[in-house]
Amino acid sequence: MHALKVAGDMGARYAEARYHRIESWGASSRNGSIISGYSELSEGIAVRVLVDGVLGFASTNNLSREGVVEAVRIAVSRAKAHANIAKQAIEFSDARLGRAKYSVAPLKKFSDVDLGEKLRIHKEFWSSVSKVVQEAKVPVATLSYSEWIENKVVVNSDGAYVESFIPRISIYYNIVVHHPQKGYIQRFESFGASGGLEWLSKWNIVESSAEEAKNLEKVLLTAVEPPKESIPVVVGSEIVALIVHESCGHPSEADRILGREAAQAGKSFIKPNMIGYVIGNKNATVIDDPTIPGSYGFYLYDDEGVAARPRYLYREGVINEFLQNRATAKVFGVESNAAARAMDYASEPIVRMANTYLKPGDHRFEELLEDVKLGVYIKSYMEWNIDDERWSQRYVGLEAYLIENGELTKPVRNPVLELTTKSFYSNIDAVGKELRFYAGTCGKGEPMQGVPVWFGGPDVRLKSIRLGVIA
Amino acid sequence: MSVELDQISKLVNELIKMGFEEAAAKATLSNVVMTKIANSSVSVVQNWRRVTVDLYLAKERRIFVLRFEPKSFEELYKPVESILSMSRTVEESPIYAPLPEPSKIKYVEEVYDKSIVSGMEDIGRLAERVIEVAHRERIDSVAGMLQIGEAKTVLATSKGALLEERKTFLQSYLRAFAEPDGSGQWCFTSTSLDVKGLESMAFTASRYAVDSRNRSDIEPGVYDIILSPMVFGNLLEYIVSMATGFAVIMGWSMFMKNKPGDRVASEHLTVLDEPRNRELPNFRSFDDEALETFNKPIIENGVLKTLLHNTKTAKALNASSTANAGWISPEPWNIVVKPGNTSLDEMISEVRRGILITNNWYTRLQNYVEGIFSTVARDAIFYIENGRIVKPVSKLRIADKFTNILNNIEMIEKSLYNIQWWEVSTPSKIPYVLIRNINTSKHVI
């Protein structure tokens, strides 16, 4: 609170201070043996001010009164020094600011389980993936386990006061399968959620990774090229989830639409006047919701102290709403929908997704397949990218299968789905009913900020598309 | 909190007294200011003052790496105690090797540009200058960032090393937009306040924006491709990150299949790690294990000369440290390509049917071991026919294998450019290169 007062005395029209502490612990292994353990503590204060229409940000891990005052002085004075090149004064919109305290209560606390038991997953993972592969071999499988606790207090001169406590857990692994004649196949997979150790039994990684390794071996040894003609493609929920993150969530970020990220992650195919533009058919409803319990991107108030709610970005094929913070909301003449997030105390809050997903439909998986005479089902991917306006995108399948007369048959090697955003959302002709979420760390900003997100979706069927292939 | 040699030395002694057999501590004090630019205006001015303390602890061949941002050194002892109890449960690390005996360090001649330190309050004027230079061309707007700062690092190890180094740095990049569809991006990095370098960056970005207006579509397929230093720098960063001992051990490397001495690239290509290049901000005299750094080729005339190692990966792969520690994972310091003997114009004249790509982003791999990747070309892209640039074209992807990129390099420019930006995090000196027969792709619907 002292920081806010000092900033006001120095001439700031708006001031915000965030105490932000992240404590993490983890271990990584190779072939079941622990390479190293790690522990990190990031703790400090971020100060943001609006002075003469310029946004100033300063952070410090000197938490003494003098340290914080110095951060405020730097934020204010250097913002003032830029007033002559600020073409447009930055202002903040009104918002539903919180005065609240909330925490995520894990079902099974990190402290409830001893270290030995936590480390056992590394050996069990290696044991299961290395044994299940028969004809080929797993030369390397690595696993990284992390648990972390994020504490924040956000206060600002407009009256917000929000304290939060969120524990999170994450795991990622890498499996390499090799056959002397067939070469290599490789899979990276990640898991993450808010909460505690209860997620380990939900994920059941030891079993699911073994299943995956077995399937990767089949793909490596027996996969065929995808058909060359245009065919129906059932896109697995893992890829649908990534597609909605990349081609709906990112282009809907209002700061990107206004050009604030133009030199980094780029602009957006969505222009400021495109609310109401038809981007797909009735099956295309994409929601971003920070409030999903247990989600990796969970929060109830954003880092500007604004109360969170679900955002309907595309609704039945129509561009419906952008992700806004208070500065972009002012430009668009709307209220902030609480999309401001900062990675840590050394990061400014910027417009981010939380948990983005395609609304599920009513088809069972078998129903998505049953009318397909010849098609491809792509279950997982490795390579992907999208252009900086979020229009032209590419996903390369890893585990994929031919669909013949409504049944999954042979594995398919490296099918390439390369299409535009509008083509994807306009070609969905059936939507599965099972919604699944996947964890990721979304990167954006300068300096780069990685924040935890979920992306989700059901399996969907695309009417017809020609798949490419990597030789 | 100040960061002094005697404090860090005392910390290491205390860690040994607590029961660890080996310890190393690295404290970094940094002071940085960044102006972020969008729509030719300032979008935010960011400032950082932070002290980070990194610790390496080993007991009975168990390894722990810790990072703190403490208010005082005394604050570290409590969390370290919990690591001590953890060491009883964790098993021996398969890559354990003892910290090396300290070597005699010959320091890189220091670059500490006082005008960077004094210019931090005045960075707005510098930002105004680069925006103004960019607008000397007929562009509509410019976005980007300008960052200057100073850092001091002190390092102590339980083997008796006690070292200190400081530096200043400048990094910047700009992306210029020219209606209706032109855009160009360029960057600059340095250890001193090189205003001419910034102006040249602004000019190049704007020139490419103007020249790339009114783009046409071209069909994807196999082309001869000239990559700008921005693009080649991005691809090389991926390749060099896979040329570390740790990447090979962990299965994240196309060099898992190779040994030093293998031919992995065209004979025209030599790539060096240059920690002692004082023009690039990652110059350093010692690595995190207190070994004296040295410049070395990673690939020389197309032959893999060495992976980058710390003592742990070196022991695991039967090699010697290259002084690139990282206590767990070695890393490149500054990446430099040996210049060739041709100019960009000469390169263009050698292309019958090809593309010049000036920028890219979003490089991702299908398979690290096989080096299968794609990346999205962005900003100015030009179609070349019969030795001359014919027209600007719209976005497409490079979709190929890193082995083809390396093996098909035919010409290397004689000039090098200082490259570091959002998609090239390691400071680099990179030329334009001509690569034959590279596959491109594009969306089909």
Side-chain angles (χ1 to χ4, degrees), chain A residues 30 57 61 78 82 186 246 261-262 264 345-346 383 385 388 392 418 445-446, chain B residues 35-36 45-48 51 69 173 175 249 251 362 368 374 397 422 441 443:
Chain A
R30 178 188 187 275
F57 171 89
N61 60 354
R78 292 187 184 164
H82 284 72
Q186 181 169 33
E246 299 289 9
E261 297 295 315
Q264 294 87 27
Y345 81 88
E383 175 192 324
N385 47 40
D388 57 297
S392 172
E418 199 160 358
E446 177 60 279
Chain B
T35 301
K36 193 172 168 189
V45 187
Q46 300 183 83
N47 304 272
W48 298 274
V51 177
E69 297 180 341
Y173 56 83
R175 189 180 192 196
I249 289 167
Y362 228 132
Y368 282 69
S374 69
R397 287 180 178 77
W422 217 60
S441 77
H443 53 265

mmCIF file of all heavy atoms in Angstrom, chain A residues 30 57 61 78 82 186 246 261-262 264 345-346 383 385 388 392 418 445-446, chain B residues 35-36 45-48 51 69 173 175 249 251 362 368 374 397 422 441 443:
data_model
loop_
_atom_site.group_PDB
_atom_site.id
_atom_site.type_symbol
_atom_site.label_atom_id
_atom_site.label_comp_id
_atom_site.label_asym_id
_atom_site.label_seq_id
_atom_site.Cartn_x
_atom_site.Cartn_y
_atom_site.Cartn_z
ATOM 1 N N ARG A 30 16.561 -39.792 -16.247
ATOM 2 C CA ARG A 30 16.813 -40.422 -17.547
ATOM 3 C C ARG A 30 16.829 -41.924 -17.322
ATOM 4 O O ARG A 30 17.554 -42.418 -16.463
ATOM 5 C CB ARG A 30 18.163 -39.975 -18.106
ATOM 6 C CG ARG A 30 18.523 -40.631 -19.424
ATOM 7 C CD ARG A 30 19.960 -40.288 -19.816
ATOM 8 N NE ARG A 30 20.268 -40.776 -21.145
ATOM 9 C CZ ARG A 30 20.686 -42.017 -21.414
ATOM 10 N NH1 ARG A 30 20.821 -42.903 -20.434
ATOM 11 N NH2 ARG A 30 20.958 -42.375 -22.650
ATOM 12 N N PHE A 57 6.725 0.210 -15.684
ATOM 13 C CA PHE A 57 6.756 -1.026 -14.893
ATOM 14 C C PHE A 57 8.145 -1.155 -14.282
ATOM 15 O O PHE A 57 9.152 -0.892 -14.944
ATOM 16 C CB PHE A 57 6.485 -2.229 -15.797
ATOM 17 C CG PHE A 57 6.697 -3.558 -15.122
ATOM 18 C CD1 PHE A 57 5.669 -4.187 -14.448
ATOM 19 C CD2 PHE A 57 7.951 -4.186 -15.144
ATOM 20 C CE1 PHE A 57 5.869 -5.411 -13.812
ATOM 21 C CE2 PHE A 57 8.158 -5.401 -14.514
ATOM 22 C CZ PHE A 57 7.115 -6.014 -13.842
ATOM 23 N N ASN A 61 13.524 -7.499 -6.240
ATOM 24 C CA ASN A 61 13.403 -8.474 -5.165
ATOM 25 C C ASN A 61 14.006 -7.932 -3.871
ATOM 26 O O ASN A 61 14.224 -8.674 -2.925
ATOM 27 C CB ASN A 61 13.988 -9.842 -5.550
ATOM 28 C CG ASN A 61 15.465 -9.781 -5.890
ATOM 29 O OD1 ASN A 61 16.058 -8.706 -5.957
ATOM 30 N ND2 ASN A 61 16.051 -10.927 -6.113
ATOM 31 N N ARG A 78 11.026 6.965 -15.392
ATOM 32 C CA ARG A 78 11.326 6.517 -16.764
ATOM 33 C C ARG A 78 10.061 6.528 -17.631
ATOM 34 O O ARG A 78 10.155 6.695 -18.838
ATOM 35 C CB ARG A 78 11.999 5.142 -16.721
ATOM 36 C CG ARG A 78 13.384 5.274 -16.108
ATOM 37 C CD ARG A 78 14.199 4.028 -16.166
ATOM 38 N NE ARG A 78 15.468 4.240 -15.469
ATOM 39 C CZ ARG A 78 16.277 3.262 -15.070
ATOM 40 N NH1 ARG A 78 15.948 1.999 -15.297
ATOM 41 N NH2 ARG A 78 17.398 3.531 -14.455
ATOM 42 N N HIS A 82 9.372 9.167 -21.285
ATOM 43 C CA HIS A 82 8.901 8.703 -22.595
ATOM 44 C C HIS A 82 7.660 9.463 -23.084
ATOM 45 O O HIS A 82 7.102 9.127 -24.131
ATOM 46 C CB HIS A 82 8.574 7.206 -22.550
ATOM 47 C CG HIS A 82 9.792 6.322 -22.553
ATOM 48 N ND1 HIS A 82 10.619 6.217 -21.462
ATOM 49 C CD2 HIS A 82 10.319 5.514 -23.509
ATOM 50 C CE1 HIS A 82 11.603 5.365 -21.751
ATOM 51 N NE2 HIS A 82 11.447 4.934 -22.987
ATOM 52 N N GLN A 186 9.536 -40.214 -31.852
ATOM 53 C CA GLN A 186 9.740 -39.518 -30.580
ATOM 54 C C GLN A 186 8.467 -38.827 -30.137
ATOM 55 O O GLN A 186 7.732 -38.298 -30.953
ATOM 56 C CB GLN A 186 10.842 -38.469 -30.780
ATOM 57 C CG GLN A 186 11.187 -37.692 -29.542
ATOM 58 C CD GLN A 186 12.458 -36.880 -29.739
ATOM 59 O OE1 GLN A 186 12.731 -36.423 -30.837
ATOM 60 N NE2 GLN A 186 13.214 -36.695 -28.682
ATOM 61 N N GLU A 246 -4.338 -21.970 -30.590
ATOM 62 C CA GLU A 246 -3.534 -21.218 -31.555
ATOM 63 C C GLU A 246 -4.366 -20.339 -32.481
ATOM 64 O O GLU A 246 -3.931 -19.244 -32.837
ATOM 65 C CB GLU A 246 -2.714 -22.196 -32.425
ATOM 66 C CG GLU A 246 -1.732 -23.075 -31.653
ATOM 67 C CD GLU A 246 -0.537 -22.306 -31.113
ATOM 68 O OE1 GLU A 246 -0.532 -21.074 -31.173
ATOM 69 O OE2 GLU A 246 0.397 -22.954 -30.616
ATOM 70 N N GLU A 261 1.821 -6.511 -29.738
ATOM 71 C CA GLU A 261 2.784 -7.618 -29.830
ATOM 72 C C GLU A 261 3.318 -7.768 -31.250
ATOM 73 O O GLU A 261 3.856 -8.826 -31.602
ATOM 74 C CB GLU A 261 2.103 -8.924 -29.402
ATOM 75 C CG GLU A 261 1.624 -8.941 -27.968
ATOM 76 C CD GLU A 261 2.766 -8.854 -26.963
ATOM 77 O OE1 GLU A 261 3.770 -9.559 -27.141
ATOM 78 O OE2 GLU A 261 2.649 -8.054 -26.020
ATOM 79 N N ALA A 262 3.170 -6.731 -32.069
ATOM 80 C CA ALA A 262 3.434 -6.867 -33.508
ATOM 81 C C ALA A 262 4.850 -7.323 -33.829
ATOM 82 O O ALA A 262 5.069 -8.040 -34.799
ATOM 83 C CB ALA A 262 3.149 -5.547 -34.210
ATOM 84 N N GLN A 264 6.771 -9.153 -31.893
ATOM 85 C CA GLN A 264 7.113 -10.420 -31.235
ATOM 86 C C GLN A 264 6.221 -11.522 -31.804
ATOM 87 O O GLN A 264 6.476 -12.056 -32.860
ATOM 88 C CB GLN A 264 6.936 -10.291 -29.708
ATOM 89 C CG GLN A 264 7.909 -9.334 -29.050
ATOM 90 C CD GLN A 264 7.429 -7.904 -29.045
ATOM 91 O OE1 GLN A 264 6.236 -7.631 -29.059
ATOM 92 N NE2 GLN A 264 8.370 -6.972 -29.032
ATOM 93 N N TYR A 345 6.960 -11.981 -10.478
ATOM 94 C CA TYR A 345 7.040 -10.580 -10.046
ATOM 95 C C TYR A 345 7.810 -9.726 -11.044
ATOM 96 O O TYR A 345 7.635 -8.504 -11.075
ATOM 97 C CB TYR A 345 7.677 -10.488 -8.646
ATOM 98 C CG TYR A 345 9.177 -10.566 -8.663
ATOM 99 C CD1 TYR A 345 9.954 -9.421 -8.828
ATOM 100 C CD2 TYR A 345 9.835 -11.786 -8.552
ATOM 101 C CE1 TYR A 345 11.335 -9.484 -8.869
ATOM 102 C CE2 TYR A 345 11.210 -11.868 -8.592
ATOM 103 C CZ TYR A 345 11.960 -10.713 -8.753
ATOM 104 O OH TYR A 345 13.319 -10.783 -8.808
ATOM 105 N N ALA A 346 8.656 -10.334 -11.845
ATOM 106 C CA ALA A 346 9.461 -9.556 -12.789
ATOM 107 C C ALA A 346 8.757 -9.353 -14.127
ATOM 108 O O ALA A 346 9.378 -8.935 -15.093
ATOM 109 C CB ALA A 346 10.803 -10.249 -12.998
ATOM 110 N N GLU A 383 5.080 -31.964 -34.244
ATOM 111 C CA GLU A 383 5.412 -30.677 -34.868
ATOM 112 C C GLU A 383 4.143 -29.872 -35.116
ATOM 113 O O GLU A 383 3.124 -30.430 -35.532
ATOM 114 C CB GLU A 383 6.119 -30.960 -36.201
ATOM 115 C CG GLU A 383 6.421 -29.743 -37.042
ATOM 116 C CD GLU A 383 6.853 -30.148 -38.454
ATOM 117 O OE1 GLU A 383 7.534 -31.177 -38.612
ATOM 118 O OE2 GLU A 383 6.473 -29.431 -39.399
ATOM 119 N N ASN A 385 2.959 -25.450 -36.074
ATOM 120 C CA ASN A 385 3.207 -24.006 -36.022
ATOM 121 C C ASN A 385 2.091 -23.268 -36.742
ATOM 122 O O ASN A 385 1.251 -23.880 -37.419
ATOM 123 C CB ASN A 385 4.590 -23.619 -36.582
ATOM 124 C CG ASN A 385 4.907 -24.261 -37.895
ATOM 125 O OD1 ASN A 385 4.032 -24.376 -38.753
ATOM 126 N ND2 ASN A 385 6.143 -24.700 -38.071
ATOM 127 N N ASP A 388 2.105 -15.627 -37.898
ATOM 128 C CA ASP A 388 1.999 -14.641 -36.819
ATOM 129 C C ASP A 388 0.690 -13.855 -36.856
ATOM 130 O O ASP A 388 0.458 -13.033 -35.975
ATOM 131 C CB ASP A 388 3.194 -13.685 -36.866
ATOM 132 C CG ASP A 388 3.308 -12.991 -38.205
ATOM 133 O OD1 ASP A 388 3.524 -13.677 -39.223
ATOM 134 O OD2 ASP A 388 3.161 -11.762 -38.240
ATOM 135 N N SER A 392 -2.602 -19.357 -41.104
ATOM 136 C CA SER A 392 -2.146 -20.584 -41.769
ATOM 137 C C SER A 392 -1.408 -21.452 -40.748
ATOM 138 O O SER A 392 -0.431 -21.024 -40.151
ATOM 139 C CB SER A 392 -1.202 -20.213 -42.915
ATOM 140 O OG SER A 392 -0.618 -21.381 -43.455
ATOM 141 N N GLU A 418 -2.544 -29.192 -42.868
ATOM 142 C CA GLU A 418 -2.053 -27.829 -43.099
ATOM 143 C C GLU A 418 -3.203 -27.029 -43.696
ATOM 144 O O GLU A 418 -3.591 -27.256 -44.852
ATOM 145 C CB GLU A 418 -0.828 -27.875 -44.024
ATOM 146 C CG GLU A 418 0.018 -26.635 -43.956
ATOM 147 C CD GLU A 418 1.451 -26.851 -44.460
ATOM 148 O OE1 GLU A 418 1.809 -27.984 -44.825
ATOM 149 O OE2 GLU A 418 2.206 -25.866 -44.495
ATOM 150 N N GLY A 445 4.938 -12.124 -24.964
ATOM 151 C CA GLY A 445 5.450 -10.947 -24.271
ATOM 152 C C GLY A 445 6.926 -10.733 -24.504
ATOM 153 O O GLY A 445 7.626 -11.527 -25.120
ATOM 154 N N GLU A 446 7.411 -9.609 -24.023
ATOM 155 C CA GLU A 446 8.828 -9.268 -24.109
ATOM 156 C C GLU A 446 9.214 -8.568 -22.823
ATOM 157 O O GLU A 446 8.712 -7.474 -22.567
ATOM 158 C CB GLU A 446 9.075 -8.377 -25.323
ATOM 159 C CG GLU A 446 10.491 -7.897 -25.484
ATOM 160 C CD GLU A 446 11.518 -9.007 -25.648
ATOM 161 O OE1 GLU A 446 11.909 -9.576 -24.611
ATOM 162 O OE2 GLU A 446 11.906 -9.298 -26.779
ATOM 163 N N THR B 35 12.443 -0.347 -23.385
ATOM 164 C CA THR B 35 11.309 0.372 -23.966
ATOM 165 C C THR B 35 10.675 -0.520 -25.014
ATOM 166 O O THR B 35 11.364 -0.980 -25.931
ATOM 167 C CB THR B 35 11.759 1.681 -24.633
ATOM 168 O OG1 THR B 35 12.389 2.487 -23.654
ATOM 169 C CG2 THR B 35 10.577 2.435 -25.230
ATOM 170 N N LYS B 36 9.400 -0.789 -24.841
ATOM 171 C CA LYS B 36 8.702 -1.594 -25.839
ATOM 172 C C LYS B 36 7.917 -0.646 -26.742
ATOM 173 O O LYS B 36 7.251 0.283 -26.250
ATOM 174 C CB LYS B 36 7.776 -2.592 -25.131
ATOM 175 C CG LYS B 36 7.245 -3.666 -26.049
ATOM 176 C CD LYS B 36 6.499 -4.744 -25.281
ATOM 177 C CE LYS B 36 5.752 -5.631 -26.245
ATOM 178 N NZ LYS B 36 4.852 -6.545 -25.587
ATOM 179 N N VAL B 45 7.363 0.929 -20.499
ATOM 180 C CA VAL B 45 8.777 1.036 -20.133
ATOM 181 C C VAL B 45 8.988 0.095 -18.957
ATOM 182 O O VAL B 45 8.351 0.258 -17.909
ATOM 183 C CB VAL B 45 9.134 2.474 -19.697
ATOM 184 C CG1 VAL B 45 10.636 2.596 -19.501
ATOM 185 C CG2 VAL B 45 8.617 3.486 -20.690
ATOM 186 N N GLN B 46 9.839 -0.911 -19.129
ATOM 187 C CA GLN B 46 10.007 -1.922 -18.078
ATOM 188 C C GLN B 46 11.408 -1.821 -17.468
ATOM 189 O O GLN B 46 12.381 -1.599 -18.192
ATOM 190 C CB GLN B 46 9.809 -3.323 -18.648
ATOM 191 C CG GLN B 46 8.419 -3.526 -19.246
ATOM 192 C CD GLN B 46 8.227 -4.950 -19.744
ATOM 193 O OE1 GLN B 46 7.906 -5.861 -19.000
ATOM 194 N NE2 GLN B 46 8.448 -5.158 -21.032
ATOM 195 N N ASN B 47 11.475 -2.019 -16.178
ATOM 196 C CA ASN B 47 12.745 -1.912 -15.447
ATOM 197 C C ASN B 47 12.891 -3.100 -14.509
ATOM 198 O O ASN B 47 11.932 -3.501 -13.854
ATOM 199 C CB ASN B 47 12.750 -0.643 -14.592
ATOM 200 C CG ASN B 47 12.486 0.600 -15.416
ATOM 201 O OD1 ASN B 47 13.397 1.192 -15.941
ATOM 202 N ND2 ASN B 47 11.212 0.985 -15.542
ATOM 203 N N TRP B 48 14.100 -3.623 -14.445
ATOM 204 C CA TRP B 48 14.349 -4.750 -13.541
ATOM 205 C C TRP B 48 15.633 -4.521 -12.758
ATOM 206 O O TRP B 48 16.662 -4.182 -13.333
ATOM 207 C CB TRP B 48 14.522 -6.048 -14.333
ATOM 208 C CG TRP B 48 13.311 -6.432 -15.110
ATOM 209 C CD1 TRP B 48 12.242 -7.152 -14.672
ATOM 210 C CD2 TRP B 48 13.029 -6.120 -16.485
ATOM 211 N NE1 TRP B 48 11.316 -7.295 -15.676
ATOM 212 C CE2 TRP B 48 11.769 -6.680 -16.791
ATOM 213 C CE3 TRP B 48 13.714 -5.423 -17.471
ATOM 214 C CZ2 TRP B 48 11.191 -6.554 -18.051
ATOM 215 C CZ3 TRP B 48 13.134 -5.300 -18.718
ATOM 216 C CH2 TRP B 48 11.896 -5.859 -19.001
ATOM 217 N N VAL B 51 18.610 -9.634 -7.894
ATOM 218 C CA VAL B 51 19.768 -10.436 -7.506
ATOM 219 C C VAL B 51 19.313 -11.886 -7.535
ATOM 220 O O VAL B 51 18.332 -12.249 -6.884
ATOM 221 C CB VAL B 51 20.245 -10.082 -6.087
ATOM 222 C CG1 VAL B 51 21.401 -10.995 -5.685
ATOM 223 C CG2 VAL B 51 20.656 -8.631 -6.001
ATOM 224 N N GLU B 69 16.060 -15.885 -5.056
ATOM 225 C CA GLU B 69 16.186 -14.438 -5.184
ATOM 226 C C GLU B 69 16.064 -13.877 -3.774
ATOM 227 O O GLU B 69 15.022 -13.341 -3.387
ATOM 228 C CB GLU B 69 15.104 -13.911 -6.118
ATOM 229 C CG GLU B 69 15.296 -14.489 -7.514
ATOM 230 C CD GLU B 69 14.277 -14.012 -8.507
ATOM 231 O OE1 GLU B 69 13.211 -13.532 -8.095
ATOM 232 O OE2 GLU B 69 14.559 -14.116 -9.704
ATOM 233 N N TYR B 173 15.267 -4.785 -31.536
ATOM 234 C CA TYR B 173 14.750 -5.237 -32.828
ATOM 235 C C TYR B 173 13.553 -4.383 -33.199
ATOM 236 O O TYR B 173 12.862 -3.831 -32.333
ATOM 237 C CB TYR B 173 14.392 -6.729 -32.825
ATOM 238 C CG TYR B 173 13.418 -7.169 -31.760
ATOM 239 C CD1 TYR B 173 12.049 -7.040 -31.936
ATOM 240 C CD2 TYR B 173 13.881 -7.730 -30.585
ATOM 241 C CE1 TYR B 173 11.161 -7.463 -30.959
ATOM 242 C CE2 TYR B 173 12.993 -8.151 -29.598
ATOM 243 C CZ TYR B 173 11.638 -8.017 -29.787
ATOM 244 O OH TYR B 173 10.762 -8.420 -28.822
ATOM 245 N N ARG B 175 10.223 -4.082 -36.155
ATOM 246 C CA ARG B 175 9.450 -4.619 -37.275
ATOM 247 C C ARG B 175 8.675 -3.451 -37.869
ATOM 248 O O ARG B 175 7.886 -2.805 -37.165
ATOM 249 C CB ARG B 175 8.490 -5.702 -36.785
ATOM 250 C CG ARG B 175 7.814 -6.457 -37.915
ATOM 251 C CD ARG B 175 6.882 -7.516 -37.370
ATOM 252 N NE ARG B 175 6.438 -8.417 -38.422
ATOM 253 C CZ ARG B 175 5.401 -9.241 -38.318
ATOM 254 N NH1 ARG B 175 4.703 -9.296 -37.190
ATOM 255 N NH2 ARG B 175 5.050 -10.015 -39.314
ATOM 256 N N ILE B 249 22.517 -36.904 -24.375
ATOM 257 C CA ILE B 249 22.208 -37.857 -23.301
ATOM 258 C C ILE B 249 20.697 -37.986 -23.106
ATOM 259 O O ILE B 249 20.168 -39.075 -22.882
ATOM 260 C CB ILE B 249 22.888 -37.399 -21.984
ATOM 261 C CG1 ILE B 249 24.401 -37.588 -22.079
ATOM 262 C CG2 ILE B 249 22.336 -38.162 -20.776
ATOM 263 C CD1 ILE B 249 25.179 -36.891 -20.972
ATOM 264 N N GLY B 251 18.255 -37.449 -25.263
ATOM 265 C CA GLY B 251 17.441 -37.854 -26.412
ATOM 266 C C GLY B 251 16.767 -36.714 -27.134
ATOM 267 O O GLY B 251 15.725 -36.883 -27.753
ATOM 268 N N TYR B 362 8.449 -19.542 -35.120
ATOM 269 C CA TYR B 362 7.724 -20.760 -34.777
ATOM 270 C C TYR B 362 8.353 -21.996 -35.411
ATOM 271 O O TYR B 362 7.700 -22.749 -36.139
ATOM 272 C CB TYR B 362 6.253 -20.635 -35.201
ATOM 273 C CG TYR B 362 5.279 -21.045 -34.109
ATOM 274 C CD1 TYR B 362 4.194 -20.252 -33.764
ATOM 275 C CD2 TYR B 362 5.433 -22.248 -33.432
ATOM 276 C CE1 TYR B 362 3.305 -20.618 -32.769
ATOM 277 C CE2 TYR B 362 4.555 -22.625 -32.436
ATOM 278 C CZ TYR B 362 3.489 -21.803 -32.109
ATOM 279 O OH TYR B 362 2.615 -22.174 -31.129
ATOM 280 N N TYR B 368 13.392 -34.803 -32.905
ATOM 281 C CA TYR B 368 14.713 -34.186 -32.690
ATOM 282 C C TYR B 368 15.823 -35.082 -33.227
ATOM 283 O O TYR B 368 16.810 -34.597 -33.773
ATOM 284 C CB TYR B 368 14.925 -33.913 -31.198
ATOM 285 C CG TYR B 368 14.203 -32.681 -30.713
ATOM 286 C CD1 TYR B 368 12.818 -32.643 -30.639
ATOM 287 C CD2 TYR B 368 14.901 -31.536 -30.347
ATOM 288 C CE1 TYR B 368 12.140 -31.504 -30.214
ATOM 289 C CE2 TYR B 368 14.228 -30.389 -29.907
ATOM 290 C CZ TYR B 368 12.862 -30.385 -29.844
ATOM 291 O OH TYR B 368 12.198 -29.260 -29.434
ATOM 292 N N SER B 374 9.675 -27.826 -39.179
ATOM 293 C CA SER B 374 9.188 -26.789 -40.085
ATOM 294 C C SER B 374 9.243 -25.457 -39.360
ATOM 295 O O SER B 374 9.310 -25.403 -38.127
ATOM 296 C CB SER B 374 7.770 -27.084 -40.597
ATOM 297 O OG SER B 374 6.828 -26.965 -39.562
ATOM 298 N N ARG B 397 6.070 -22.011 -45.532
ATOM 299 C CA ARG B 397 6.924 -22.666 -44.533
ATOM 300 C C ARG B 397 8.145 -23.294 -45.179
ATOM 301 O O ARG B 397 8.062 -23.771 -46.319
ATOM 302 C CB ARG B 397 6.164 -23.813 -43.844
ATOM 303 C CG ARG B 397 5.120 -23.355 -42.898
ATOM 304 C CD ARG B 397 4.395 -24.515 -42.230
ATOM 305 N NE ARG B 397 3.442 -23.956 -41.302
ATOM 306 C CZ ARG B 397 2.281 -23.420 -41.668
ATOM 307 N NH1 ARG B 397 1.899 -23.438 -42.928
ATOM 308 N NH2 ARG B 397 1.489 -22.860 -40.777
ATOM 309 N N TRP B 422 13.755 -12.117 -30.295
ATOM 310 C CA TRP B 422 12.776 -13.026 -29.706
ATOM 311 C C TRP B 422 12.967 -14.469 -30.142
ATOM 312 O O TRP B 422 12.753 -15.399 -29.387
ATOM 313 C CB TRP B 422 11.386 -12.536 -30.145
ATOM 314 C CG TRP B 422 10.317 -12.658 -29.136
ATOM 315 C CD1 TRP B 422 10.292 -12.066 -27.907
ATOM 316 C CD2 TRP B 422 9.099 -13.388 -29.272
ATOM 317 N NE1 TRP B 422 9.119 -12.390 -27.270
ATOM 318 C CE2 TRP B 422 8.372 -13.195 -28.092
ATOM 319 C CE3 TRP B 422 8.548 -14.171 -30.275
ATOM 320 C CZ2 TRP B 422 7.116 -13.761 -27.878
ATOM 321 C CZ3 TRP B 422 7.299 -14.730 -30.072
ATOM 322 C CH2 TRP B 422 6.591 -14.531 -28.883
ATOM 323 N N SER B 441 6.319 -25.601 -47.809
ATOM 324 C CA SER B 441 4.927 -26.051 -47.808
ATOM 325 C C SER B 441 4.008 -24.890 -47.449
ATOM 326 O O SER B 441 4.470 -23.826 -47.014
ATOM 327 C CB SER B 441 4.730 -27.211 -46.822
ATOM 328 O OG SER B 441 4.681 -26.715 -45.508
ATOM 329 N N HIS B 443 -0.583 -24.054 -46.522
ATOM 330 C CA HIS B 443 -1.903 -24.648 -46.290
ATOM 331 C C HIS B 443 -2.553 -25.060 -47.618
ATOM 332 O O HIS B 443 -2.371 -24.395 -48.637
ATOM 333 C CB HIS B 443 -2.808 -23.678 -45.521
ATOM 334 C CG HIS B 443 -2.922 -22.329 -46.147
ATOM 335 N ND1 HIS B 443 -2.141 -21.251 -45.777
ATOM 336 C CD2 HIS B 443 -3.723 -21.870 -47.128
ATOM 337 C CE1 HIS B 443 -2.467 -20.209 -46.500
ATOM 338 N NE2 HIS B 443 -3.425 -20.547 -47.331
#
